[in-house]
Amino acid sequence: MSNETAKKIATRDAYGQALVELGHANKDIVVLDADLAKSTKTADFAKAFPERFFDVGIAEANMIGMAAGLAASGKIPFASTFALFGSLRVADMVRNSVCYPNLNVKIAVTHQGLTLGEDGASHQAVEDVALMRAIPNMTVIMPADATETKKAIHAAANTYGPMYIRMGRPGVPVLFDDSYEFEIGKGVQIREGNDVAIIATGVMVHIAVKAAEQLAKEGIQARVINMATIKPIDADIIVKAARETKGIVTAEECNIYGGLGAAVAEVLCEQHPAKLRRVGVEDTFGESGTPDELLQKYGLTAENIVAKAKELL
Amino acid sequence: MSILTQEQTTQLAQHAGNIRQEIVKMVAAANSGHPGGSLSAADILTVLYFHEMNVDPNQLDNPDRDRFILSKGHASPVLYATLAEKGYLPKDELKTFRKLNSRLQGHPSKKLLPGVEQSTGSLGQGLSSANGMALAARLDKRDSRVYVVMGDGEIQEGMVWEAAMAAGHYKLDNLVAFVDYNHLQIDGNVEDIMNVHPVDEKFRAFNWHVITIDGHDFEQIAAALAEARTVKGKPTCIVANTVKGKGVSYMENNCGWHGTAPNDEQLAQALAELCGQGGDK
C-alpha cells in the first residue's frame, strides 16, 4: 500500500483511462453513454474510438437494451451513466434484457452514493447495490481506488457475464500500487490484526484504514479487508476473519439494507455466527452537501467505525 | 408484378396453417398462454422465416444470420410453432410449452431455446436489443438484418420511443420493426385504453421509413420486406393491420382470447377451421 497522503484520483477518472486502454487492446469493446460522457469519463474513449462509442441521449432504458443487443452479437459493451440511472431507473431492463439471457454487458456507473455530493438525494444512489445483488447472474464490483478501478475494468472486460461496476465522483486516495492483485470475487486483506476485522468496500476502504490506525493507537489491532466484489462475496475471507477476531465491522457507502453489510451478515449467519456491526447509510435519503460533509453527517467516518469496533471487544 | 409466385403463396399458406394449428394445440395442452396475439402475428412470422430471413437451424451461431426478436414475448406460441415448423425443435416438444423443465417458457428465453435471439416478455424492450444487434452488424460490416415484432399495445411503453428515436438517429437501415396492429390489448380496445393512433406518423416523425399493409396478406408482407431492403439510411416500420385471433372464428377480434386457453371442444373446432386454411389434417 502506498502512503495515505498520496494524491487523490477519482475512480471515474481511472475508468476513463482503463476504457481507452481496453479500446486499443480489444476491438470488440464498445462504450455507450446517456449524455453524461464528460462526467462518467467515457468522453476519452469517444474521442479515441468514435465509431465504437454511442451516446444514446437521455434514454437509459434504451441504452441497456442496446448494450444487450450488442453483447448478443459478440461485442463487449460498457454502458455508462450515474449509479442511480444505471440501476434503479433501468432495473427491469437489466434483469430481463441482460441478466436473464446472461449477456456480456458491463454496466459501469459513476457518481455513486452520498459522495456524489451537491446534487442531493434525487441523484445519490444508496440502494443500487442491494438491487443489483438481487438479480441472478449479476456480478457487483465496487473498487476502492484508481489502481483497483483500472484492474477491475480490465478484469470485467476479460470475464464473461453481466457486471455492475460502481465508481465515484470525487478524488479518493490511491491505496494500491501496480503490484496490487485484483481478482473478481476475492476479498483482499490489506492490514493485519486479530482483535477485530473491518470489511470495507469502495470509498470506505481508505476510511477503514484510517479507523484501523486510530484503533492501533489505543492498542487494538484491526484487520482490514477490502471487499471490492460484493457479489459473489468472498465467504472464505469473511469466515476466516470471524474465526480469528472478536467480531466484524462492515463499512460501505450504501444503505445498510441489502449491501455489503447484509452480504457479510448472510455469510456469518449461515457459516460462522459472529458479532457484526454495520457502518453505512442507515435507511435514509441523503441531501445536498460536499462529499466530506455528507460522510460526516451520515456517520460514514473513521470515528464511527472505531466506535462500532470497540463495541465488539 | 407480384413478389410471390402462386406456388410460394401456397407453401406459405401451408406453413401458416400448420403454425396456427400448433399455436392452438400448444396453448390448449398447457391450458395457459396467449393465442390471440399469436394468431395475429402468424402470417408475419411465416413470411419472415419461410421467405425473408437468412436463418438456418443447422447454423445457429452463423454470425451472418439474420436476427428475429419477438418483442411481444407473450405471443411465444407463434415463435415456438414457427421455429418448430422451420426445424429448430421437434414439433412434439411443443406439448411441453409452459410446463416444468421445458425449454418453451411462458415467454421466450434466449438461454434455453436455440433460435431465440433475445429473452422477451417484459414489454417494450425488444426494439432496443434489435438496435444493438443492428449496430453490431454495421460495426462488423455484416449483411445481417434484424427483424422485430411489437404489439400495438406494447408500443404504449415509453422505452419503445427511446429505441425508435435511436434507430432513426443511427440510420439503422438493416432494421425492420413490425407493429402487429390488432387493436386489442388485455383490458380492451387499444384505442380506448391508450390510443396509439397514428402509428405510421409517429414512426415517420422519428425518421423511419413506414409502410402500412394488411398483415395477413403474404404478398403485401413480402413486398414490404422487399421494399425495406431498398431503403437506405432509415429503419423501416411495417404497420401491419391484423386481426387478433386470426383464423379461428370464435377468437377473432375478441380480447377475451388474449390470454385464454381453448377447451377440448373449442380446440377441435379451431383445428377443423384451420384445416381449411392450409393447415394439415
Side-chain angles (χ1 to χ4, degrees):
Chain A
M1 277 177 62
S2 60
N3 193 317
E4 167 74 15
T5 58
K7 68 171 176 172
K8 292 182 174 183
I9 304 176
T11 46
R12 62 171 167 155
D13 287 321
Y15 171 54
Q17 292 161 17
L19 279 185
V20 174
E21 292 165 9
L22 279 170
H24 286 291
N26 187 340
K27 68 173 177 53
D28 286 331
I29 301 285
V30 296
V31 176
L32 302 96
D33 207 305
D35 196 41
L36 291 169
K38 293 183 191 75
S39 298
T40 61
K41 303 300 177 184
T42 61
D44 294 342
F45 184 95
K47 199 174 166 193
F49 308 99
E51 74 288 356
R52 284 192 266 150
F53 176 78
F54 305 103
D55 195 328
V56 302
I58 308 163
E60 294 82 7
N62 179 51
M63 176 173 72
I64 298 299
M66 274 180 50
L70 284 157
S73 295
K75 301 297 172 193
I76 306 171
F78 280 76
S80 310
T81 181
F82 289 0
L84 191 86
F85 313 134
S87 59
L88 284 91
R89 189 180 188 100
V90 295
D92 178 15
M93 294 81 200
V94 173
R95 179 184 185 274
N96 282 308
S97 284
V98 175
C99 290
Y100 180 39
N102 196 30
L103 290 167
N104 195 20
V105 172
K106 316 303 170 185
I107 300 168
V109 298
T110 63
H111 296 62
Q112 64 185 358
L114 291 179
T115 53
L116 176 147
E118 292 82 350
D119 280 343
S122 68
H123 285 51
Q124 292 162 346
V126 296
E127 313 88 344
D128 55 331
V129 169
L131 197 160
M132 288 293 145
R133 203 164 71 87
I135 304 177
N137 289 338
M138 182 59 100
T139 293
V140 181
I141 299 172
M142 204 185 321
D145 76 344
T147 309
E148 187 167 56
T149 297
K150 276 198 181 185
K151 288 176 183 270
I153 295 299
H154 280 271
N158 294 319
T159 308
Y160 188 90
M163 293 185 199
Y164 182 78
I165 307 145
R166 187 184 195 258
M167 293 161 289
R169 173 172 171 262
V172 290
V174 176
L175 295 168
F176 310 117
D177 60 34
D178 280 342
S179 66
Y180 176 79
E181 288 186 17
F182 172 84
E183 189 182 341
I184 293 170
K186 292 289 177 201
V188 178
Q189 180 176 316
I190 57 174
R191 186 182 172 102
E192 288 181 19
N194 287 330
D195 292 329
V196 294
I198 306 168
I199 302 178
T201 189
V203 70
M204 293 306 290
V205 174
H206 76 93
I207 295 170
V209 172
K210 261 188 223 165
E213 287 165 355
Q214 288 179 22
L215 286 164
K217 284 177 193 158
E218 301 181 49
I220 300 164
Q221 300 308 319
R223 174 180 305 189
V224 178
I225 293 165
N226 171 30
M227 194 70 85
T229 311
I230 314 294
K231 181 191 172 188
I233 194 91
D234 184 347
D236 291 346
I237 203 168
I238 296 169
V239 170
K240 186 165 185 285
R243 282 209 180 95
E244 295 174 357
T245 71
K246 295 187 181 70
I248 292 172
V249 180
T250 58
E252 64 189 310
E253 194 202 11
C254 301
N255 196 334
I256 54 169
Y257 297 134
L260 170 71
V264 170
E266 289 161 12
V267 171
L268 292 178
C269 285
E270 288 192 343
Q271 299 191 32
H272 192 94
K275 287 195 281 186
L276 174 73
R277 296 289 183 273
R278 291 178 292 172
V279 172
V281 179
E282 300 204 10
D283 201 28
T284 184
F285 290 102
E287 61 184 285
S288 292
T290 68
D292 284 342
E293 286 169 347
L294 290 161
L295 291 175
Q296 284 294 326
K297 176 161 179 178
Y298 290 88
L300 305 180
T301 60
E303 292 70 29
N304 196 18
I305 295 172
V306 166
K308 293 263 167 73
K310 286 180 179 172
E311 290 175 19
L312 301 172
L313 298 172
Chain B
M1 199 184 79
S2 54
I3 300 269
L4 301 172
T5 63
Q6 187 55 48
E7 188 185 318
Q8 285 175 315
T9 304
T10 305
Q11 278 179 359
L12 289 172
Q14 173 95 48
H15 288 307
N18 291 345
I19 288 165
R20 284 198 162 90
Q21 287 190 338
E22 294 299 339
I23 289 169
V24 289
K25 277 159 61 181
M26 67 197 291
V27 173
N31 196 25
S32 170
H34 298 79
S38 295
L39 292 167
S40 69
D43 297 313
I44 296 168
L45 268 77
T46 297
V47 177
L48 282 171
Y49 276 87
F50 293 95
H51 178 72
E52 172 71 9
M53 291 199 301
N54 171 29
V55 289
D56 179 352
N58 298 313
Q59 294 184 54
L60 291 167
D61 298 325
N62 175 9
D64 290 316
R65 72 190 184 280
D66 292 337
R67 269 72 166 180
F68 174 76
I69 298 175
L70 182 68
S71 190
K72 43 177 276 182
H74 57 277
S76 58
V78 70
L79 178 59
Y80 299 152
T82 304
L83 291 174
E85 181 80 4
K86 187 78 179 173
Y88 283 85
L89 67 154
K91 283 197 178 176
D92 203 39
E93 191 178 343
L94 295 175
K95 284 184 221 153
T96 69
F97 174 56
R98 285 187 169 239
K99 292 182 175 155
L100 200 62
N101 300 321
S102 173
R103 299 192 294 176
L104 310 184
Q105 293 290 294
H107 296 80
S109 167
K110 173 181 168 62
K111 278 292 280 179
L112 289 180
L113 188 63
V116 172
E117 298 284 2
Q118 175 59 306
S119 302
T120 52
S122 185
L123 291 177
Q125 300 188 23
L127 188 56
S128 293
S129 288
N131 283 347
M133 292 176 188
L135 277 174
R138 177 187 290 176
L139 279 171
D140 291 341
K141 300 184 169 53
R142 296 187 190 282
D143 293 328
S144 298
R145 293 173 67 76
V146 186
Y147 300 89
V148 185
V149 168
M150 297 183 283
D152 49 356
E154 178 181 17
I155 64 174
Q156 292 161 352
E157 289 280 4
M159 181 185 181
V160 168
W161 302 103
E162 294 185 5
M165 200 179 339
H169 176 85
Y170 291 117
K171 303 179 169 38
L172 298 177
D173 52 21
N174 54 350
L175 171 66
V176 176
F178 282 88
V179 176
D180 179 12
Y181 206 164
N182 63 32
H183 300 275
L184 288 172
Q185 58 190 109
I186 298 181
D187 278 354
N189 289 307
V190 171
E191 290 75 11
D192 297 333
I193 304 300
M194 181 50 61
N195 195 357
V196 298
H197 180 78
V199 175
D200 54 348
E201 288 179 29
K202 288 187 176 73
F203 276 91
R204 250 180 226 115
F206 284 107
N207 296 313
W208 288 58
H209 179 71
V210 182
I211 308 167
T212 300
I213 61 164
D214 174 348
H216 299 306
D217 182 325
F218 298 131
E219 176 68 22
Q220 289 190 38
I221 299 167
L225 288 165
E227 181 179 325
R229 285 181 179 271
T230 68
V231 175
K232 299 299 169 205
K234 282 185 175 189
T236 294
C237 175
I238 300 174
V239 180
N241 287 302
T242 58
V243 172
K244 193 144 177 167
K246 175 72 176 177
V248 179
S249 58
Y250 59 87
M251 289 188 183
E252 288 191 358
N253 290 313
N254 181 343
C255 84
W257 288 100
H258 173 87
T260 311
N263 60 29
D264 289 349
E265 195 181 329
Q266 290 164 330
L267 174 63
Q269 185 188 335
L271 292 175
E273 289 182 13
L274 291 167
C275 275
Q277 299 171 31
D280 294 329
K281 284 192 182 171

